[in-house]
Amino acid sequence: MASKKNEKKSEGLSSALRVKAGPVDLSSFDPRATTGFSGTKEEGREALAALAPEVSDWQERLFAEGRKGGERSVLLVLQGMDTSGKGGVIRHGAGLMDPQGLRITSFKAPTPAEKRRGFLWRIRQALPAPGQIGIFDRSHYEDVLIARVRNLVAAPVWNRRYDAINEFETELAGAGITVVKCFLHISPEMQKERLQARLDDPTKHWKYNPGDVDERQLWPAYTEAYEAAIEKCNADHAPWHVIPSDRKWYRNWAVTTLLLETLQDLNPEWPKADFDVALEKSRVAES
Amino acid sequence: MASKKNEKKSEGLSSALRVKAGPVDLSSFDPRATTGFSGTKEEGREALAALAPEVSDWQERLFAEGRKGGERSVLLVLQGMDTSGKGGVIRHGAGLMDPQGLRITSFKAPTPAEKRRGFLWRIRQALPAPGQIGIFDRSHYEDVLIARVRNLVAAPVWNRRYDAINEFETELAGAGITVVKCFLHISPEMQKERLQARLDDPTKHWKYNPGDVDERQLWPAYTEAYEAAIEKCNADHAPWHVIPSDRKWYRNWAVTTLLLETLQDLNPEWPKADFDVALEKSRVAES
């Protein structure tokens, strides 16, 4: 089983998209790449739909394990610039699974009460329970991204947070939470196109915020902050993946495949009956 | 718009499955009925899948409204005997929607801390936020069902709870929460078949609990408790529906159709832009 596990890790899409240790230069990653997939857009969509039965089955196994005393869970962390598609991945990828086994949290700017409790407090509140797949739309990484770019806290404060995050994620690994971190990588040109599309479609106006353009002006500073976060917090037990996200269909397929590989790697088994099956069969028959 | 609303309510599946005011006799409801659907099992499954785009679209409208200051939400309450398919409805019906807009809570036996706070406390904790569709797998009704059948509290205590529930649900209506209550109605023969199926399939053993057979012995007492709950707590603003549930495909289609009708009846509109669209278009173009 250990060897099967290693084999899996070294061959899948996870390892192909995994960011290697060392300095990170996002300009060396192509946001239009389709790593690990050779088909067309239409084939990509079909491939995503075809993952549904398998990913649902593994999800249910993990869920069943959690119901019967297992402590393991999965946490998918989604980060990326505005319009990179965090919500789209949840809708089209996580949407293939049973919503009963998901715990999805979308983090907005922290409230004053949340700030007083330290930046990891609200994150801990939202962790997946045993058997669940947790999904973070934004996360504790915002506290070294927007907090750094916008000077929301002093430099020594955000600087200490990288260590705090590493300690926190080590703790999660010890608690049976498998953390999978994905940076949805888009080009500034694609962001412009998507913001324009939102403005052109009245049914998408609610998704648009004039502040998005202000953030967009800070693209280089955000890129630098992402590079620092990915480099400093990229442990084996909580690896970063760069997901090429200019093509929505590839992005959705890739993140869902990562989730599937993670579940396969955990390899949860159907819990054994904790009762006498023959006896229960006769009790039901007589009832 | 008011007349459109009334028309909807009087014609849809909701009104056909709605329990009329007055005494309730569950034996008068056929658990194998397929009210409002004339096709085969295969056609029923196709009809369910075909609801996905429409129900997702309405869900997103409600979600968008909630993001822009709207206060409305929906709460689907699922009750029924063991194996009636509360989980199946969530998996196959709610599973058609974007999981970001769902808040699903599965209620187990209350903990001592929950009991001390009164039976509605934990229910209030789990209410949907504005724009969300909340789903309860079991609910506050357990406090007049198992609590009554199993004498978990004295008769005067559970007897007072019907009024408390009615007051609570009136309050929810006032808070913009549209409550839709569904009793998944199965025959005792179908329950037996499903319990046997669970025992015959090792991948389903985790769903089986020997206590289920003990509960099954109390079928008549549970039926009586359901009839009382449905009769006493069946207000226009929080109506009960009996969903024939011996056929899984019909049950999933029916509850999803009820949700769809509820969303259509709320008729949330895409929020208007709260910014100058032309100005933002030029800002994006120049960025």
Side-chain angles (χ1 to χ4, degrees):
Chain A
M1 177 120 142
S3 71
K4 184 183 166 205
K5 203 170 169 178
N6 290 332
E7 192 187 349
K8 194 91 224 159
K9 281 215 167 155
S10 60
E11 287 186 1
L13 186 67
S14 307
S15 97
L17 296 180
R18 162 98 207 258
V19 181
K20 286 173 191 56
V24 176
D25 174 6
L26 284 173
S27 71
S28 70
F29 294 85
D30 178 6
R32 290 189 61 77
T34 58
T35 313
F37 195 87
S38 55
T40 62
K41 175 178 181 170
E42 197 45 53
E43 286 165 342
R45 285 182 176 162
E46 284 164 14
L48 173 63
L51 293 177
E54 208 179 350
V55 79
S56 292
D57 183 67
W58 284 106
Q59 179 202 18
E60 192 176 10
R61 285 171 187 247
L62 183 68
F63 186 78
E65 180 186 278
R67 277 292 184 83
K68 290 296 173 183
E71 298 193 341
R72 300 189 299 175
S73 62
V74 171
L75 175 60
L76 175 68
V77 172
L78 298 174
Q79 287 285 164
M81 308 283 197
D82 288 328
T83 78
S84 62
K86 302 177 287 290
V89 163
I90 300 175
R91 184 176 191 135
H92 299 286
L96 299 177
M97 292 186 278
D98 187 339
Q100 290 167 101
L102 302 176
R103 179 165 187 194
I104 300 167
T105 309
S106 175
F107 291 99
K108 309 294 177 196
T111 63
E114 286 173 341
K115 279 188 202 165
R116 276 197 301 276
R117 288 169 161 92
F119 78 103
L120 290 172
W121 179 81
R122 62 178 188 157
I123 306 298
R124 291 181 192 274
Q125 299 293 308
L127 291 172
Q132 281 186 330
I133 296 175
I135 303 180
F136 284 177
D137 173 353
R138 304 187 185 273
S139 67
H140 43 298
Y141 282 95
E142 292 296 322
D143 298 288
V144 290
L145 291 165
I146 192 171
R148 169 178 163 150
V149 172
R150 290 282 188 184
N151 299 303
L152 301 183
V153 294
V157 175
W158 58 253
N159 235 321
R160 280 196 299 270
R161 286 180 177 168
Y162 299 106
D163 286 346
I165 289 174
N166 282 328
E167 276 178 43
F168 172 62
E169 292 182 353
T170 302
E171 184 193 322
L172 297 187
I177 303 177
T178 298
V179 180
V180 180
K181 298 180 293 194
C182 293
F183 171 66
L184 307 183
H185 184 40
I186 55 168
S187 60
E189 295 73 29
M190 182 52 74
Q191 186 186 56
K192 187 173 195 166
E193 207 173 287
R194 291 184 185 166
L195 287 174
Q196 281 169 336
R198 284 186 184 176
L199 287 168
D200 288 341
D201 181 352
T203 75
K204 295 209 160 67
H205 283 171
W206 66 279
K207 292 185 179 183
Y208 182 88
N209 183 330
D212 297 346
V213 182
D214 306 325
E215 293 297 287
R216 178 169 163 73
Q217 321 285 4
L218 299 168
W219 191 280
Y222 271 107
T223 298
E224 208 175 290
Y226 266 111
E227 288 171 342
I230 294 173
E231 179 184 331
K232 289 170 195 278
C233 304
N234 191 20
D236 278 343
H237 56 262
W240 271 107
H241 306 81
V242 171
I243 313 293
S245 297
D246 270 9
R247 301 175 200 260
K248 294 178 181 178
W249 64 266
Y250 175 77
R251 173 200 72 200
N252 297 340
W253 173 82
V255 177
T256 308
T257 300
L258 253 55
L259 261 183
L260 175 60
E261 289 181 359
T262 303
L263 290 166
Q264 286 172 331
D265 196 55
L266 289 175
N267 195 22
E269 286 176 24
W270 292 112
K272 299 264 177 294
D274 50 7
F275 50 84
D276 180 335
V277 177
L279 172 67
E280 292 303 321
K281 281 186 183 178
S282 66
R283 286 183 71 219
V284 170
E286 284 158 27
S287 71
Chain B
M1 179 120 141
S3 70
K4 183 183 164 205
K5 205 169 169 177
N6 290 333
E7 192 187 349
K8 193 92 223 158
K9 283 216 166 156
S10 59
E11 288 186 2
L13 186 67
S14 308
S15 96
L17 296 180
R18 162 95 207 258
V19 181
K20 286 174 191 56
V24 175
D25 174 6
L26 284 173
S27 72
S28 72
F29 293 84
D30 178 5
R32 290 189 59 78
T34 57
T35 313
F37 194 87
S38 54
T40 63
K41 177 177 180 169
E42 197 45 54
E43 287 165 340
R45 285 182 177 162
E46 284 164 15
L48 174 63
L51 293 176
E54 208 178 352
V55 79
S56 292
D57 183 67
W58 284 105
Q59 179 202 18
E60 192 176 8
R61 285 171 187 247
L62 183 67
F63 186 80
E65 179 186 279
R67 277 293 185 83
K68 291 295 173 183
E71 297 192 342
R72 300 189 298 176
S73 62
V74 171
L75 175 60
L76 175 68
V77 173
L78 298 174
Q79 288 284 164
M81 307 283 196
D82 288 327
T83 79
S84 62
K86 301 177 287 291
V89 163
I90 299 175
R91 184 175 190 135
H92 300 287
L96 299 177
M97 291 186 278
D98 187 338
Q100 292 167 99
L102 302 177
R103 179 163 186 194
I104 301 168
T105 309
S106 175
F107 291 98
K108 310 293 175 198
T111 63
E114 286 174 341
K115 278 188 203 165
R116 276 197 301 278
R117 289 170 160 90
F119 78 104
L120 290 172
W121 179 82
R122 63 178 188 156
I123 306 296
R124 290 181 192 274
Q125 299 292 310
L127 291 172
Q132 281 186 330
I133 296 176
I135 303 179
F136 285 177
D137 173 353
R138 304 188 186 272
S139 66
H140 43 298
Y141 283 94
E142 292 297 322
D143 298 287
V144 290
L145 291 165
I146 192 169
R148 168 177 164 150
V149 172
R150 290 281 186 185
N151 299 304
L152 302 182
V153 293
V157 175
W158 58 253
N159 235 321
R160 280 195 300 270
R161 287 179 176 168
Y162 300 105
D163 286 346
I165 289 175
N166 283 327
E167 277 178 42
F168 172 61
E169 293 182 353
T170 302
E171 185 193 319
L172 297 187
I177 303 177
T178 299
V179 180
V180 180
K181 298 181 293 196
C182 293
F183 171 66
L184 306 184
H185 184 40
I186 55 170
S187 61
E189 295 73 28
M190 182 51 75
Q191 186 187 56
K192 187 173 195 167
E193 207 173 288
R194 292 185 184 165
L195 287 173
Q196 282 169 334
R198 283 184 185 177
L199 287 167
D200 289 341
D201 181 352
T203 74
K204 294 208 162 66
H205 283 171
W206 65 279
K207 292 185 180 185
Y208 181 88
N209 184 331
D212 297 347
V213 181
D214 305 325
E215 294 295 290
R216 178 168 162 75
Q217 320 285 4
L218 299 167
W219 191 281
Y222 272 106
T223 299
E224 208 175 288
Y226 266 111
E227 289 171 343
I230 294 172
E231 179 184 333
K232 290 171 193 276
C233 305
N234 192 20
D236 280 342
H237 56 263
W240 271 108
H241 305 82
V242 172
I243 313 292
S245 297
D246 271 8
R247 302 176 201 258
K248 294 178 181 177
W249 63 267
Y250 175 77
R251 172 200 73 200
N252 296 340
W253 173 83
V255 177
T256 307
T257 300
L258 254 56
L259 260 184
L260 175 59
E261 289 181 358
T262 303
L263 290 166
Q264 287 172 330
D265 197 55
L266 289 175
N267 194 23
E269 286 177 24
W270 293 111
K272 297 264 177 297
D274 50 9
F275 50 82
D276 180 337
V277 179
L279 172 66
E280 293 303 320
K281 281 187 184 178
S282 66
R283 285 184 72 219
V284 170
E286 285 159 24
S287 74

